[in-house]
Amino acid sequence: MFEGVVKIFVDSVVNYFQSTSDKNVKLGSPYLIENTDFTSFDFTGMIGISGPYRGMVYFTAPKVLLTHLLLSLGEKETSKENMLDLVGEVANTLSGNARAELGQDFMISVPIMIEGSTSNIHLPTALRSYVIPIYWKAYSAAVVVCLDNT
Amino acid sequence: MLKLMIVDDSNIIRRKIQRECDLGVFEVVASAKNGEEAISLFEQFKPQVVTMDITMPKMDGIECVSELIKRDPSLRILVVSALSDIATGIEALECGARGFLCKPFTEKELSDALLKLTEGQHV
């Protein structure tokens, strides 16, 4: 898949963190995983994609990173509800921003947010996913892109 | 003070916009988490300015803009959305929105966009 599409999401992640009070985000090299190997952090926000591309985009992050991200956005309440809200909003923003390059046919769903294990999410085993590692402050998170355009 | 309603399915974004709008020019009279709720609150509070997300459950922002403009053609609506393609921005403007601000946004970008809106400019 689609190195160009992955680059679009890389740019979206950088753009997102540019809007926070700590703009110093670093991204690792994207890599491929089997969809049976997907692991997640404490909170995950997922967006369903339809149109010419079909699949899912995830933002997954540990509680500690989300706590700092909420504070950097001016939000003092670091509750579980706000962490779920935040992972959904980040996933929505990254996917929505991709439409600047991919056009309005790149349809995105409202976010679905999960706390804890994502083991009950089943991605197509015939596909693989790109993982984009994110390093912000001293913490790690990831964006996972699983898309098919056949 | 201009009466303002915030429409977004994210509580964090609603609160972020409210913090910026609580600085004197606007009185935030209502916050809605989807288009249906926005229509109901509009009838109750009659805001003069609205910030409007697009991707929301129940009724999306484009449909909600159309419904609100039918009720009040002078309503000043700033669409605040992650959908950053040009076609979506044009669609929002054709439905009656006066401006479009792409997420993620900084406090300055939001305040500048709202200021232009109050001055009658398109954003």
Side-chain angles (χ1 to χ4, degrees):
Chain A
M1 180 189 78
F2 320 113
E3 282 72 13
V5 174
V6 173
K7 172 71 165 55
I8 289 168
F9 280 93
V10 167
D11 292 343
S12 291
V13 172
V14 172
N15 184 51
Y16 183 85
F17 281 91
Q18 290 296 311
S19 72
T20 69
S21 62
D22 186 348
K23 299 173 172 52
N24 191 24
V25 65
K26 293 180 180 173
L27 303 186
S29 297
Y31 59 91
L32 275 166
I33 58 167
E34 300 294 334
N35 279 344
T36 51
D37 295 339
F38 175 67
T39 57
S40 59
F41 293 100
D42 301 328
F43 292 88
T44 300
M46 304 180 298
I47 299 288
I49 306 297
S50 58
Y53 291 94
R54 301 175 69 177
M56 301 286 275
V57 174
Y58 303 80
F59 172 69
T60 184
K63 183 177 179 180
V64 65
L65 182 145
L66 296 171
T67 300
H68 284 278
L69 189 50
L70 282 168
L71 293 170
S72 83
L73 294 169
E75 180 60 58
K76 292 174 183 168
E77 190 184 323
T78 57
S79 63
K80 181 180 94 173
E81 288 71 24
N82 274 352
M83 291 192 185
L84 287 166
D85 188 337
L86 182 56
V87 290
E89 185 61 20
V90 174
N92 172 68
T93 301
L94 301 182
S95 302
N97 285 181
R99 289 184 22 151
E101 299 290 335
L102 299 173
Q104 65 174 340
D105 292 337
F106 187 81
M107 302 295 291
I108 71 172
S109 73
V110 294
I112 299 165
M113 294 82 85
I114 292 177
E115 179 187 12
S117 170
T118 53
S119 59
N120 58 342
I121 299 168
H122 300 288
L123 295 170
T125 53
L127 297 177
R128 293 190 293 174
S129 296
Y130 271 95
V131 178
I132 304 169
I134 300 169
Y135 307 107
W136 187 67
K137 297 186 181 287
Y139 315 113
S140 301
V143 170
V144 181
V145 181
C146 177
L147 294 176
D148 184 19
N149 73 341
T150 56
Chain B
M1 298 262 276
L2 291 167
K3 292 196 289 184
L4 182 139
M5 176 169 70
I6 300 164
V7 187
D8 200 299
D9 61 343
S10 166
N11 180 46
I12 294 168
I13 297 297
R14 291 197 303 272
R15 287 161 63 103
K16 182 176 180 181
I17 294 172
Q18 175 146 11
R19 281 193 296 273
E20 188 59 32
C21 292
D22 275 344
L23 298 178
V25 178
F26 301 100
E27 176 192 6
V28 178
V29 294
S31 272
K33 58 182 178 295
N34 59 59
E36 283 185 4
E37 190 176 33
I39 300 293
S40 172
L41 290 173
F42 175 82
E43 301 292 353
Q44 189 176 348
F45 292 100
K46 303 293 184 193
Q48 298 152 294
V49 179
V50 173
T51 69
M52 177 71 69
D53 188 16
I54 292 180
T55 307
M56 296 183 292
K58 296 191 177 178
M59 179 191 290
D60 71 27
I62 295 288
E63 185 179 356
C64 188
V65 168
S66 297
E67 290 297 322
L68 292 177
I69 290 296
K70 278 183 204 168
R71 287 163 172 78
D72 180 2
S74 70
L75 188 61
R76 284 170 276 187
I77 302 177
L78 175 67
V79 170
V80 182
S81 173
L83 302 182
S84 54
D85 57 292
I86 292 170
T88 299
I90 291 171
E91 185 178 9
L93 295 175
E94 286 178 346
C95 288
R98 304 275 186 97
F100 194 100
L101 177 63
C102 194
K103 294 179 183 176
F105 56 85
T106 63
E107 291 177 0
K108 184 174 189 311
E109 288 167 340
L110 176 64
S111 60
D112 287 351
L114 286 169
L115 185 62
K116 285 181 182 175
L117 207 69
T118 60
E119 291 171 347
Q121 300 179 38
H122 277 73
V123 182

